[in-house]
């Protein structure tokens, strides 16, 4: 971990685009150099915060190293190398490894990124986790995934993209044929299907101690998004669910230790079935969707600020004891069918719905929308709601989705 005496003016190399992360670093006086894709460059430069370098693919170490070399620099010239994104966490760690200036050690970043390595580490710590194996060739999925139910996913994917449940040998054969024709990256992770309610767990760990943790219940388990299920979650109040927080907190702390993740913020998923809590996945980043806004409104925790503080080696701002009012805050990704939008609510109408704290509208009349069920980050709008408890917030989120669907019409693309 960097010195806790870090001062303003630290040079930070940020691999991957995330406006909120760059702003958080800048608020602490960091001098930021961002390495982003060509498509992200204009947005990054518009922040007016630091320098923007363009790499063809920031997930590739050689691409980032090359763009730095073209500017007569290397990762060793920075005080710290970091990434706020899932896909570039390991890239940043590997770049900083030779000089020892990675925000996350490269072995930890690998465990956070590769799902087979991650689950093996958690399993070695004797924590509940799905059994799994690696399928190196797509054509072999018909045999490896035949004994369902299992889940097939990329080893280093994100957003539940290319994630499939397989229940029968016939489904395994069809999936093997589909993916062979489709040709996405291999190898694949084939893991035991875990029943139960999926929860997202977000928090802050410093010096190996779990300082802050939020538990939120997903509206639907994420694997069902490919069937049109809603993406969203409602935060659970610690005071209303003390035993659940205790069980999940114990698992989370031990899992982070097993992964070697001692300093930063994390986004974890677990399955809860009665008294059983099973580890699913963990990323060393801020959770997606409106997780940051949910944590800020519900717990008063600025998770991007905590990320920046960990990167810069500054003390945490997490309060020793968070207030527990018993209420809940939740978010949802609103979707529409594929096609051309012919009618849709305005941003003002969306923001005026009951309980809404924050709303973002991403589609307008005339826009052409693709398949939004491909990944959990795709949406037509996203909204944050406050309510009396997690049950009422969950109901309000479902109601909002129903209203949005009825107020939106989509026609065919000529």
């Amino acid at each position: 971990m960097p010195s806790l005496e870090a001062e303003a003016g630290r040079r930070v190399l940020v691999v991957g685009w995330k406006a909120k992360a760059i702003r958080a670093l800048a608020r602490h006086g960091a001098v930021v150099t961002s390495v982003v894709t060509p498509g992200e460059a204009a947005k990054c430069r518009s922040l007016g915060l630091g320098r923007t370098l363009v790499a063809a693919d920031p997930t590739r170490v050689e691409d980032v190293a090359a763009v730095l070399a073209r500017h007569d620099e290397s990762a060793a010239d920075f005080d710290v190398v970091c990434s706020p994104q899932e896909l570039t966490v390991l890239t940043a760690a590997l770049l900083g490894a030779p000089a020892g200036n990675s925000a996350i050690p490269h072995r930890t970043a690998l465990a956070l990124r590769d799902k087979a390595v991650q689950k093996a580490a958690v399993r070695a710590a004797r924590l509940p986790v799905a059994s799994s194996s690696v399928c190196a060739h797509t054509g072999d999925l018909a045999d490896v995934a035949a004994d369902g139910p299992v889940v097939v996913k990329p080893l280093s994917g994100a957003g539940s993209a290319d994630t499939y449940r397989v229940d029968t040998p016939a489904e395994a054969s069809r999936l093997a044929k589909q993916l062979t024709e489709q040709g996405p990256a291999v190898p694949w992770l084939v893991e035991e299907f875990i029943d139960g309610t999926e929860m997202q767990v977000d928090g802050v760990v410093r010096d190996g101690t779990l300082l802050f943790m939020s538990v939120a219940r997903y509206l639907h388990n994420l694997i069902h998004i490919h069937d049109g299920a809603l993406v969203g979650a409602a935060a659970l109040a610690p005071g209303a669910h003390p035993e659940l927080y205790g069980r999940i907190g114990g698992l989370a702390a031990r899992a982070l230790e097993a992964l070697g993740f001692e300093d930063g913020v994390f986004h974890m998923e677990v399955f809860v079935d009665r008294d059983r809590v099973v580890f699913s996945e963990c990323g060393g980043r801020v959770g997606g969707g409106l997780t940051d806004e949910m944590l800020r409104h519900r717990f008063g925790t600025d998770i991007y600020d905590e990320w920046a503080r960990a990167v810069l080696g500054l003390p945490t701002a997490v309060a020793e004891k968070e207030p527990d009012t018993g209420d809940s805050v939740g978010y949802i990704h609103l979707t529409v069918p594929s096609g051309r939008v012919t009618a849709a609510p305005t941003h003002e109408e969306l923001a005026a719905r009951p309980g809404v704290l924050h709303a973002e509208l991403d589609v307008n009349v005339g826009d052409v929308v693709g398949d939004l069920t491909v990944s959990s980050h795709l949406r037509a709008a996203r909204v944050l709601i406050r309510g009396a408890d997690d049950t009422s917030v969950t109901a309000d989120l479902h109601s909002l989705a129903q209203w949005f669907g009825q107020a939106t019409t989509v026609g065919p693309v000529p």
Side-chain angles (χ1 to χ4, degrees), residues 119 123 129-133 150-151 189-194 278:
K119 290 174 188 289
R123 192 174 298 114
V129 62
S131 60
S132 60
S133 62
V150 296
V151 175
L189 185 73
V190 180
E191 66 179 19
E192 168 193 10
F193 175 79
I194 300 295
V278 180

Side-chain angles (χ1 to χ4, degrees), residues 1 33 94 111 118 131 142 155 243 254 316-317 324 333 358 362 364 394 399 411:
M1 174 180 171
T33 294
L94 291 172
Q118 180 174 118
S131 60
L155 281 170
E243 293 184 4
R254 292 181 60 195
T316 178
D324 185 15
H333 285 186
H358 177 91
D362 298 310
N364 297 289
T394 298
S399 297

Side-chain angles (χ1 to χ4, degrees), residues 91-367:
T91 310
L94 291 172
L95 284 163
N101 59 353
S102 302
I104 300 176
H106 74 280
R107 291 186 181 277
T108 299
L110 176 60
L112 290 168
R113 187 76 189 102
D114 185 281
K115 293 178 174 60
V117 174
Q118 180 174 118
K119 290 174 188 289
V122 172
R123 192 174 298 114
R126 300 184 180 278
L127 296 172
V129 62
S131 60
S132 60
S133 62
V134 175
C135 179
H137 303 285
T138 305
D140 294 337
L141 283 172
D143 297 321
V144 177
D147 297 327
V150 296
V151 175
V152 177
K153 63 178 68 171
L155 281 170
S156 54
S160 298
D162 294 315
T163 301
Y164 308 90
R165 173 175 171 169
V166 175
D167 289 294
T168 67
E171 289 180 6
S173 296
R174 286 195 295 271
L175 180 61
K177 182 176 184 296
Q178 171 193 330
L179 295 180
T180 299
E181 295 172 349
Q182 183 177 315
V186 292
W188 299 90
L189 185 73
V190 180
E191 66 179 19
E192 168 193 10
F193 175 79
I194 300 295
D195 203 4
T197 300
E198 192 170 12
M199 307 274 192
Q200 74 169 72
V201 185
D202 301 277
V204 177
V205 59
R206 298 297 296 269
D207 292 324
T209 300
L210 182 58
L211 299 182
F212 164 76
M213 186 188 76
S214 161
V215 177
R217 182 191 300 110
Y218 282 122
L219 300 179
H220 297 110
N221 287 9
L222 292 181
I223 196 169
H224 299 304
I225 66 170
H226 306 300
D227 301 318
L230 297 174
V231 174
L236 307 183
H241 303 272
E243 293 184 4
L244 182 62
Y245 263 82
R247 291 198 301 272
I248 292 178
L251 176 71
R254 292 181 60 195
L256 293 170
E257 181 182 10
L259 299 174
F261 191 32
E262 297 183 342
D263 289 285
V265 304
F266 66 90
H267 173 70
M268 185 182 295
E269 280 142 3
V270 302
F271 291 99
V272 177
D273 186 8
R274 298 184 178 86
D275 293 335
R276 185 173 180 240
V277 179
V278 180
F279 176 90
S280 178
E281 295 179 4
C282 181
R285 57 175 176 84
V286 174
L290 288 173
T291 293
D292 62 317
E293 293 291 340
M294 179 177 70
L295 299 182
R296 183 170 69 86
H297 283 277
R298 175 57 186 81
F299 296 96
T301 297
D302 185 337
I303 199 69
Y304 274 107
D305 182 66
E306 289 300 325
W307 174 83
R309 286 172 177 273
V311 166
L312 297 171
L314 299 172
T316 178
V318 171
E320 290 187 8
K321 185 176 181 181
E322 299 291 346
D324 185 15
T325 57
D327 64 342
S328 176
V329 174
Y331 70 89
I332 190 171
H333 285 186
L334 300 170
T335 61
V336 296
S338 301
R340 187 179 298 279
V341 178
T342 57
T346 65
H347 177 270
E348 290 73 20
E349 290 172 329
L350 188 60
R353 300 299 298 177
V356 170
L357 296 171
H358 177 91
E360 299 175 14
L361 186 63
D362 298 310
V363 301
N364 297 289
V365 173
D367 290 346

